[in-house]
């Protein structure tokens, strides 16, 4: 599978629930009571647990961004084989992370082309030697 950097769109059956979506419901009472308002329990606008989980998510994202290498993706046409090559390179180290087709396959193709051209030259040379004699 090629790593093109494209993400698959979310499934149409999935609906994200965000705090902004639930915010109006937070302050509504879930059941009517006969108690005066000062004796009822009201939800906090934002609890400590939700703050803590939001902070944890931010920290995890920042750690992931810090330790995930930046990858540069490019398509190159090989001048020798005239074929398209996909190369993903780590921008920090310059190391090739992924290449399609692999370097080994490119070398095998070049070797096969060399053998093929040598065989054609040998056939041409044999044909020209026979016509001269």
């Amino acid at each position: 599978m090629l790593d093109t950097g494209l993400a698959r769109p979310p499934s149409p059956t999935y609906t994200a629930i965000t705090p902004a979506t639930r915010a109006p419901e937070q302050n509504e009472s879930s059941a009517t009571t006969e108690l005066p308002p000062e004796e009822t329990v009201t939800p906090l606008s934002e609890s400590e647990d939700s703050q803590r989980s939001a902070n944890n998510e931010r920290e995890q994202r920042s750690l992931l961004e810090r330790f995930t290498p930046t990858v540069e993706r490019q398509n190159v046409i090989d001048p020798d084989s005239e074929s398209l090559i996909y190369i993903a390179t780590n921008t920090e180290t310059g190391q090739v992370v992924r290449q399609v087709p692999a370097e080994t396959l490119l070398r095998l193709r070049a070797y096969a082309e060399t053998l093929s051209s040598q065989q054609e030259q040998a056939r041409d040379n044999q044909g020209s030697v026979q016509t001269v004699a």
Side-chain angles (χ1 to χ4, degrees):
M1 174 181 226
L2 291 179
D3 181 18
T4 59
L6 298 175
R8 196 172 91 206
S11 171
T13 59
Y14 174 77
T15 305
I17 299 173
T18 62
T21 307
R22 289 195 264 163
E25 300 169 0
Q26 265 184 356
N27 297 327
E28 295 177 12
S29 61
S30 58
T32 56
T33 63
E34 297 175 7
L35 296 173
E38 55 273 355
E39 292 182 14
T40 60
V41 177
T42 57
L44 291 174
S45 61
E46 191 171 322
S47 68
E48 290 180 27
D49 289 338
S50 65
Q51 285 179 348
R52 199 173 311 128
S53 69
N55 289 339
N56 286 341
E57 287 177 19
R58 273 189 231 112
E59 289 173 10
Q60 287 177 352
R61 263 189 262 128
S62 68
L63 281 174
L64 187 63
E65 289 171 0
R66 196 175 322 142
F67 294 111
T68 303
T70 307
V71 177
E72 178 184 331
R73 297 166 179 89
Q74 58 184 346
N75 291 315
V76 179
I77 296 179
D78 182 36
D80 297 330
S81 64
E82 297 179 0
S83 61
L84 184 66
I85 303 171
Y86 167 80
I87 301 173
T89 309
N90 183 331
T91 56
E92 296 171 5
T93 63
Q95 181 180 7
V96 174
V97 178
R98 183 176 190 129
Q99 179 176 328
V100 178
E103 187 70 31
T104 307
L105 184 59
L106 292 174
R107 289 181 184 168
L108 284 171
R109 285 181 184 172
Y111 178 71
E113 283 184 30
T114 303
L115 285 178
S116 169
S117 65
Q118 286 176 352
Q119 288 174 351
E120 286 178 19
Q121 286 177 354
R123 277 190 228 123
D124 291 344
N125 288 343
Q126 285 178 354
S128 63
V129 170
Q130 290 176 356
T131 55
V132 172

